[in-house]
């Protein structure tokens, strides 16, 4: 039995199961929870690899049909079916992968009814749609030969074979190049070494080269997998052709860079320049050199090395154009999350499994390779005497694959980080103490942009000492005026004001549970003792602010609710002082004169140097004040 | 005639009234900094923001409503459209969430509802519904300093040049948005350089859609040409 196939399938199934769990998470919780995409990098690895590289990798289909049907090279007959199958599965994978990336994937059909012919993406979308259909029609005679029932359909399809091939080549020419046109609109973002007005042409030439090498690579891999004799002679011919196409690509690319005067960028020592040189070496220069040597070209090892370099080099190229080299312009640091990578791998693995399935069932090759786990499926039979179903359940024949799939599916769910999904991407910004003396400068995150708060003035207008709890609505034990920042600890996310660990420790560790949680009941926050059962002075008697579950709302919310609601009320009471409720009254770039004087009077000692108020030079103000006096 | 907004950086005091008004009028949620936001204050819930630069300079950032918008030209379903009145508006019913508009915008304006399971593109639409009711955008209406004003584009351009002429020492002699990427409907005059608003300080006067137009025009020729070339190689034309 062939262990290579079995192990490969086990690995592929486990990746598919893993990706399945992540895929479900993506649709349940959205893009923000599963990807590292940002507003500055809206296209990530799902576009760069799944779509851009995926379409390019599927170029083998149109290249081989062109070689076989148009240029009439009959010797490549054995490559046609595998290459068309690869292309078909490749396009299905691209469309399937795109569904994960689209924000509203159920609207993908909108491209058919809402037209915008100016958009390169519109054209790519249509071409991919049509070409996938063409590939389906090109490939479907193969499974149809398995049964004589559909012989008529098959005959009709075979009749239209040539027009289909022609249409396929025409469509491929268009969208392989149009994938390059997508990026013509981003001259300011894409690095000049990759940006070029002839991007469509470069994409097309490289797709042809990649198509040739993809046929070779796929032949090498599948023959290795099924322990068959590699088709060395034919691959050698492909390699020879690839040398020509790659050389044209190299010359055009270098000429383009030379003519646009960006030559020096290749050697300026930036990471992009190294990336570019690496990409050119892997995808073009080294394969050209390798395949120019006849000894390398005809050896299986040489073919392996050369073709995989082109394949991975061109994937690299598509990822570079697809967003990697825009990071300097956007100032972003995008690294794909492991969930993005998993989905990408999962889609590729599913396509590989489908390929293996097809190769074992249909006449892709002259003789079908046998699946080691294959047993013909017989439906279970209901036995009326014992009242049980007899026979093997459908999945039992492939117990190992099913087991691996389910296990990795479960593992995938177990590994999904709950914090990323729950936090909804909110940044944790800790709040710090408001600065100042009597006049406070309230800017919780210390970004020098905040609100000036005249403490004495507020006490005077709100009713002297009794008014403290109007703002200090909940205090730490033994305190009468706890600072806002002590409970509202985060700028934008709520804080649990109750410190569970501290209470447990203070009451004696594990034996302390029952002091708050009643015996015999579930230990939950709802059933436990309330804070003010012990801390009698925690909540002032007549305070206007309700405390719910001892969860402190975000600092920003708390401040706005407290200040704005009061100021709005005051503004209505004093009809001539509408300004009281305007944002400008507090968020000022330049505080009014009296407040300046107030600040200069009260700011002294250790706080003085720390206070920065936009638009006010405090030292100058203070000196001026002294002079006046 | 198309409408426009002119923002005078020298007059802005950074009070954020425009941001607040924008939120109220467009029913935007609370603004919470998220890890996926670019640090310029714009977000799915913040369609305009005020950037602070050293020396008390406040720059209001918002959609520029380009005369030839890159976002609208690349949208495969035409969900973003430039209206004849001036604003670039968004039709969420059509959108399929490809985010090509975000990639194409030279100013990095469109934002995305990353935290939503059903996400949409979010950006300033110059209060298009208010314009249709004969009102002006909320931001220009509330500005206490008249630092950002609304009007016909031609008149605002004239006003901008007039102000520069009046105080040539204060202003930099340039109206941002007059020619940039083919002109925009949101104009700025300033005493500091505003190159940082775009991905490239001097984006040039060529509208971005022109870059893809040539490639798109070549599409039918490439299609027919390739077909013809293939048929020629197979000898189909030789029969005649």
């Amino acid at each position: 039995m062939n262990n290579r196939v079995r192990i490969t399938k086990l690995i592929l199934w486990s990746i598919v199961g893993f990706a399945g769990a992540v895929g479900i998470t993506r649709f349940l919780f959205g893009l923000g929870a599963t990807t590292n995409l940002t507003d500055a990098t809206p296209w990530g690895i799902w576009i760069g690899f799944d779509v851009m590289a995926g379409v390019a990798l599927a170029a083998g289909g149109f290249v081989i049909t062109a070689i076989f049907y148009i240029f009439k090279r009959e010797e490549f007959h054995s490559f046609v079916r595998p290459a068309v199958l690869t292309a078909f599965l490749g396009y299905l994978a691209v469309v399937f992968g795109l569904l994960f990336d689209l924000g509203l994937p159920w609207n993908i059909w909108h491209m058919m009814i809402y037209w915008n012919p100016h958009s390169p993406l519109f054209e790519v979308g249509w071409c991919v749609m049509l070409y996938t259909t063409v590939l389906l029609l090109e490939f479907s005679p193969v499974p149809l030969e398995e049964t004589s029932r559909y012989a008529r359909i098959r005959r009709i399809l075979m009749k239209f074979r040539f027009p289909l091939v022609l249409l396929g080549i025409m469509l491929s020419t268009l969208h392989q190049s149009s994938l390059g046109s997508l990026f013509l609109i981003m001259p300011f973002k894409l690095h000049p070494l990759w940006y070029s007005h002839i991007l469509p042409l470069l994409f097309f030439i490289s797709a042809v080269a990649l198509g040739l090498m993809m046929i070779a690579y796929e032949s090498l891999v599948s023959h290795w997998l099924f322990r068959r004799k590699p088709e060395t002679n034919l691959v050698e011919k492909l390699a020879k052709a690839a040398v020509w196409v790659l050389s044209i690509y190299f010359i055009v690319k270098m000429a383009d860079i030379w003519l646009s005067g960006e030559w020096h960028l290749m050697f300026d020592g930036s990471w992009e320049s190294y990336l570019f040189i690496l990409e050119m070496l892997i995808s073009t220069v080294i394969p050209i050199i390798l395949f120019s040597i006849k000894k390398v070209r005809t050896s299986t090892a040489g073919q392996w090395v050369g073709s995989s370099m082109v394949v991975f080099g061109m994937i690299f190229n598509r990822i570079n154009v697809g967003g990697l080299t825009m990071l300097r312009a956007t100032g972003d640091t995008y690294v794909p999350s492991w969930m993005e990578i998993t989905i990408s791998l999962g889609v590729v693995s599913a396509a590989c499994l489908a390929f293996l399935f097809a190769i074992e069932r249909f006449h892709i090759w002259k003789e079908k390779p046998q699946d080691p786990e294959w047993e013909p499926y017989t439906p279970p039979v209901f036995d009326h005497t014992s009242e049980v179903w007899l026979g093997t359940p459908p999945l039992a024949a492939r117990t190992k694959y099913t087991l691996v799939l389910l296990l990795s599916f479960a593992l995938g769910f177990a590994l999904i980080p709950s914090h990323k999904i729950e936090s909804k991407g909110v940044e944790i910004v800790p709040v710090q103490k408001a600065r100042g003396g009597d006049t406070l400068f309230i800017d919780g995150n210390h970004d020098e942009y905040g609100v000036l708060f005249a403490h004495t003035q507020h006490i005077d207008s709100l009713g002297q000492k009794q008014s403290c709890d109007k703002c200090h609505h909940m205090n730490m034990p033994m305190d009468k005026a706890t600072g806002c920042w002590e409970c509202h600890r985060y700028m934008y996310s709520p804080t649990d004001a109750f410190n569970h660990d501290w209470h447990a420790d203070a009451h004696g560790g594990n034996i302390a549970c029952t002091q708050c949680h009643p015996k015999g009941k579930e230990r939950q926050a709802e059933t436990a003792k309330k804070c003010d059962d012990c801390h009698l002075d925690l909540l002032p008697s007549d305070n206007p602010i309700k405390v719910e579950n001892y969860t402190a709302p975000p600092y920003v919310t708390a401040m706005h609710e407290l200040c704005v609601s009061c100021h709005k009320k005051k503004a209505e009471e004093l009809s001539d002082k509408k300004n009281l409720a305007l944002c400008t009254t507090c968020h000022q770039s330049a505080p009014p004169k009296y407040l300046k004087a107030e600040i200069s009077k009260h700011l002294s000692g250790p706080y003085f140097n720390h206070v920065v108020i936009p638009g006010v030079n405090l030292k100058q103000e203070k000196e001026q004040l002294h002079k006046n006096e | 005639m198309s409408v426009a907004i002119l923002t005078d950086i020298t007059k802005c005091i950074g009070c954020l009234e425009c941001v607040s008004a924008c939120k109220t009028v467009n029913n935007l949620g609370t603004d919470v900094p998220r890890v996926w936001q670019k640090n310029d204050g714009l977000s799915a819930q913040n369609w305009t923001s005020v950037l602070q630069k050293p020396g008390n300079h406040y720059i209001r950032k918002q959609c520029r409503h380009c005369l030839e918008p890159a976002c609208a030209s690349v949208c495969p379903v035409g969900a973003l459209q430039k209206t004849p009145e001036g604003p670039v508006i968004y039709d969420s019913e059509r959108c399929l969430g490809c985010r090509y508009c975000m990639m194409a915008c030279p100013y990095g304006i469109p934002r995305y509802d990353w935290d939503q399971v059903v996400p949409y593109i979010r950006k300033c639409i110059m209060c298009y519904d208010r314009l249709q009711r004969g009102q002006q955008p909320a931001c220009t209406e509330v500005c206490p300093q008249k630092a950002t004003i609304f009007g016909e584009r031609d008149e605002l351009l004239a006003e901008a040049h007039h102000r520069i002429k009046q105080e040539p020492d204060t202003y930099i002699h340039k109206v941002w948005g007059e020619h940039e990427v083919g002109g925009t409907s949101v104009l700025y005059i300033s005493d500091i350089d505003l190159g940082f608003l775009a991905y490239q300080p001097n984006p040039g006067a060529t509208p971005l859609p022109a870059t893809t137009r040539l490639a798109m025009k070549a599409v039918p020729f490439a299609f027919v040409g390739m077909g013809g070339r293939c048929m020629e190689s197979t000898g189909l034309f030789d029969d005649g």
Side-chain angles (χ1 to χ4, degrees):
Chain A
M1 274 293 131
N2 189 345
N3 262 332
R4 277 182 196 165
V5 179
R6 194 180 290 156
I7 292 169
T8 310
K9 278 190 181 174
L10 280 175
I11 294 171
L12 291 177
W13 275 116
S14 64
I15 297 174
V16 168
F18 206 78
V22 177
I24 290 173
T25 318
R26 178 255 170 272
F27 285 112
L28 281 181
F29 297 98
L31 287 165
T34 40
T35 67
N36 280 353
L37 296 173
T38 64
D39 281 331
T41 311
W43 282 2
I45 192 174
W46 285 347
I47 295 291
F49 177 73
D50 295 21
V51 177
M52 304 282 295
V55 169
L57 289 174
F62 92 91
V63 172
I64 198 73
T65 49
I67 293 174
F68 184 73
Y69 289 99
I70 308 295
F71 298 110
K72 308 272 189 211
R73 301 293 292 264
E74 306 284 340
E75 68 266 34
F76 287 101
H77 182 248
S78 64
F79 278 164
V80 174
R81 283 187 172 191
V84 171
L85 173 64
T86 316
F88 177 51
L89 292 174
Y91 276 90
L92 284 186
V94 166
V95 175
F96 187 65
L98 190 64
L99 293 181
F100 289 95
D101 183 74
L102 289 181
L104 309 161
W106 46 88
N107 284 351
I108 194 169
W109 56 276
H110 277 186
M111 255 191 231
M112 290 192 251
I113 53 165
Y114 301 119
W115 284 32
N116 180 15
H118 299 296
S119 166
L121 191 61
F122 170 78
E123 194 230 305
V124 171
W126 264 95
C127 280
V128 169
M129 210 149 59
L130 292 175
Y131 187 47
T132 312
T133 319
V134 167
L135 280 170
L136 175 70
L137 296 176
E138 269 182 40
F139 179 69
S140 48
V142 177
L144 289 181
E145 22 172 76
E146 295 295 307
T147 159
S148 57
R149 198 187 294 170
Y150 305 111
R152 248 182 78 184
I153 301 176
R154 189 168 180 274
R155 257 203 310 282
I156 296 169
L157 283 172
M158 290 304 280
K159 215 175 260 176
F160 285 102
R161 175 130 270 207
F162 187 75
L164 280 177
V165 163
L166 199 62
L167 187 60
I169 295 168
M170 289 153 85
L171 287 170
S172 290
T173 316
L174 284 196
H175 71 263
Q176 291 288 359
S177 51
S178 288
L179 274 179
S181 314
L182 286 185
F183 295 90
L184 288 178
I185 199 108
M186 305 163 204
F188 311 137
K189 286 165 99 174
L190 194 57
H191 193 273
L193 280 176
W194 282 272
Y195 185 84
S196 152
H197 293 291
I198 55 162
L199 257 181
L201 182 66
L202 290 171
F203 263 55
F204 178 69
I205 304 174
S206 58
V208 173
L210 181 57
L212 287 168
M213 282 296 89
M214 195 56 200
I215 304 165
Y217 187 66
E218 178 247 294
S219 154
L220 288 167
V221 171
S222 54
H223 283 70
W224 171 83
L225 200 61
F226 288 99
R227 293 178 192 277
R228 290 157 56 100
K229 206 170 156 285
E231 298 158 301
T232 316
N233 282 339
L234 290 176
V235 174
E236 193 240 322
K237 283 181 187 164
L238 290 176
K240 216 169 171 179
V243 171
W244 284 105
V245 184
L246 282 174
S247 303
I248 295 170
Y249 175 67
F250 185 73
I251 292 165
V252 172
K253 184 140 188 166
M254 287 302 131
D256 176 52
I257 289 175
W258 181 263
L259 289 177
S260 49
E262 287 147 4
W263 193 257
H264 62 282
L265 288 175
M266 275 170 66
F267 308 103
D268 67 354
S270 63
W271 62 267
E272 287 100 340
S273 65
Y274 292 120
L275 198 71
F276 184 77
I277 292 170
L278 186 71
E279 180 205 302
M280 287 312 282
L281 284 179
I282 299 178
S283 68
T284 317
V285 178
I286 298 179
I288 290 177
I289 297 170
L290 280 180
F291 283 151
S292 302
I293 306 163
K294 189 157 191 216
K295 212 173 157 191
V296 180
R297 204 165 60 212
T298 46
S299 77
T300 313
Q303 290 174 353
W304 266 101
V305 173
S307 62
S308 42
M309 280 183 108
V310 176
V311 168
F312 288 103
M314 287 301 176
I315 292 178
F316 198 37
N317 169 262
R318 294 305 195 261
I319 291 176
N320 286 342
V321 177
L324 185 58
T325 57
M326 294 181 194
L327 292 182
R328 185 184 292 278
T330 55
D332 202 27
T333 49
Y334 165 77
V335 178
S337 73
W338 67 264
M339 291 192 261
E340 287 175 83
I341 297 171
T342 310
I343 296 268
S344 291
L345 290 177
V347 172
V348 174
S349 302
C352 290
L353 281 171
F355 182 82
L356 291 175
F357 175 87
I359 227 167
E360 284 162 359
R361 298 298 181 287
F362 313 129
H363 284 278
I364 309 293
W365 290 333
K366 276 216 177 73
E367 73 281 5
K368 294 183 207 170
Q370 194 60 51
D371 178 359
E373 303 281 319
W374 169 251
E375 282 166 36
Y377 170 61
T378 43
V381 188
F382 191 73
D383 184 55
H384 287 281
T385 43
S386 58
E387 292 197 331
V388 286
W389 288 90
L390 294 179
T392 7
L395 289 175
R398 281 168 200 75
T399 326
K400 285 199 199 84
Y401 301 149
T402 316
L403 191 68
V404 161
L405 177 73
L406 291 177
L407 277 180
S408 57
F409 188 70
L411 185 69
F413 268 122
L415 283 181
I416 283 158
S418 55
H419 67 87
K420 205 180 168 190
I421 288 163
E422 280 160 13
S423 72
K424 295 251 174 202
V426 177
E427 253 180 88
I428 296 295
V429 182
V431 171
Q432 286 147 307
K433 202 172 174 175
R435 293 167 292 186
D438 183 66
T439 303
L440 280 176
F441 184 52
I442 302 178
D443 67 330
N445 51 356
H446 283 203
D447 71 343
E448 314 301 350
Y449 195 89
V451 171
L452 278 174
F453 175 82
H455 221 145
T456 321
Q457 209 189 11
H458 276 82
I459 295 175
D460 287 347
S461 65
L462 290 175
Q464 300 309 328
K465 286 256 153 107
Q466 276 71 37
S467 67
C468 295
D469 34 308
K470 282 194 175 160
C471 297
H472 297 278
H473 62 104
M474 183 171 145
N475 297 316
M476 299 283 252
M478 320 296 282
D479 196 357
K480 287 219 163 128
T482 303
C484 316
W485 63 285
E486 294 199 56
C487 290
H488 305 276
R489 281 200 284 270
Y490 302 110
M491 276 310 270
Y492 308 104
S493 44
T495 329
D496 185 3
F498 175 70
N499 189 339
H500 188 272
D501 288 349
W502 186 89
H503 280 84
D505 284 348
H507 292 286
N510 283 343
I511 57 159
C513 301
T514 49
Q515 294 210 12
C516 299
H517 297 283
K519 273 184 193 165
K521 272 190 188 167
E522 267 185 73
R523 283 176 190 166
Q524 285 171 335
E526 290 78 39
T527 53
K529 238 184 215 178
K530 295 280 166 276
C531 297
D532 45 351
D533 288 352
C534 303
H535 304 284
L536 295 174
D537 54 348
L538 197 63
L539 297 170
S541 49
D542 58 338
N543 94 59
I545 294 139
K546 275 194 189 113
V547 178
E548 279 168 18
N549 297 333
Y550 299 96
T551 304
Y555 189 79
V556 172
T557 321
M559 289 296 131
H560 276 119
E561 270 173 21
L562 186 70
C563 305
V564 174
S565 57
C566 214
H567 272 243
K568 276 206 171 136
K569 217 163 79 188
K570 271 269 180 272
E572 271 166 33
E573 281 169 21
L574 315 162
S575 52
D576 58 324
K577 286 191 177 175
K578 287 217 171 81
N579 283 346
L580 264 179
L582 283 183
C583 308
T584 16
T585 319
C586 303
H587 295 272
Q588 292 160 39
S589 61
K593 263 271 139 56
Y594 82 91
L595 215 51
K596 278 187 196 170
E598 196 84 349
I599 301 159
S600 347
K601 253 185 239 163
H602 291 283
L603 289 183
S604 53
Y607 295 119
F608 181 72
N609 292 324
H610 294 293
V611 176
V612 180
I613 295 151
V616 188
N617 186 336
L618 281 176
K619 255 189 193 146
Q620 231 173 25
E621 288 293 331
K622 202 169 180 183
E623 277 161 18
Q624 189 69 37
L625 206 77
H626 278 303
K627 248 185 229 167
N628 289 352
E629 279 168 3
Chain B
M1 285 308 272
S2 76
V3 292
I5 289 176
L6 170 68
T7 302
D8 188 339
I9 301 302
T10 60
K11 288 190 169 185
C12 180
I13 56 165
C15 68
L16 303 175
E17 284 288 340
C18 47
V19 179
S20 160
C22 176
K23 273 180 177 293
T24 318
V25 166
N26 293 302
N27 286 326
L28 303 180
T30 46
D31 187 49
V32 174
R34 315 268 188 176
V35 286
W36 47 72
Q37 281 171 16
K38 218 185 148 199
N39 201 17
D40 61 359
L42 288 187
S43 72
Q45 307 297 348
N46 244 13
W47 295 357
T48 179
S49 69
V50 176
L51 305 179
Q52 197 182 354
K53 292 282 162 184
N56 281 345
H57 295 293
Y58 301 97
I59 299 97
R60 185 157 84 89
K61 200 170 176 178
Q62 66 174 118
C63 174
R64 301 291 288 269
H65 300 280
C66 307
L67 298 185
E68 287 191 51
C71 55
S73 94
V74 299
C75 180
V77 290
L80 286 158
Q81 266 167 4
K82 176 83 179 173
T83 56
E85 295 95 321
V88 177
I89 58 165
Y90 172 65
D91 181 357
S92 62
E93 295 278 305
R94 287 189 175 200
C95 183
L96 50 86
C98 67
R99 309 190 289 283
Y100 193 10
C101 48
M102 300 174 74
M103 292 296 286
C105 179
Y107 297 100
I109 296 295
R111 298 300 151 113
Y112 208 52
D113 278 332
W114 295 105
D115 55 337
Q116 300 293 319
V117 184
V118 182
Y120 295 108
I121 293 289
R122 297 288 184 206
K123 73 166 198 70
C124 162
I125 51 166
M126 219 198 254
C127 291
Y128 187 59
D129 46 344
R130 284 171 63 91
L131 293 192
Q132 284 182 319
R133 290 201 302 266
Q135 291 169 297
Q136 58 168 313
C139 50
T140 55
E141 194 180 72
V142 297
C143 184
Q145 300 289 317
K146 294 273 166 275
T148 185
I149 54 174
F150 173 79
E152 294 288 334
R153 188 167 184 268
D154 299 346
E155 287 168 18
L156 287 184
L157 266 177
E159 167 72 17
H161 284 295
H162 177 70
R163 284 190 197 176
I164 293 173
K165 217 174 193 178
Q166 289 269 303
E167 295 173 66
D169 300 335
T170 318
Y171 293 103
I172 292 178
H173 293 223
K174 178 179 178 182
V175 180
W176 276 270
E178 188 177 12
H179 304 297
E180 275 177 41
V181 290
T184 67
S185 293
V186 172
L187 309 162
Y188 291 91
I189 46 174
S190 165
D191 49 349
I192 57 163
D193 186 55
L194 298 182
F196 59 85
L197 285 176
Y199 280 121
Q200 192 148 309
N202 296 305
T206 325
L208 284 182
T211 55
T212 53
R213 199 164 290 149
L214 189 69
M216 292 311 291
K217 270 189 184 151
V219 161
F221 299 106
F223 188 70
V224 176
M226 195 62 183
R229 175 74 193 79
C230 288
M231 298 225 278
E232 199 192 339
S233 331
T234 52
L236 281 185
F237 291 155
D238 302 345
D239 300 346

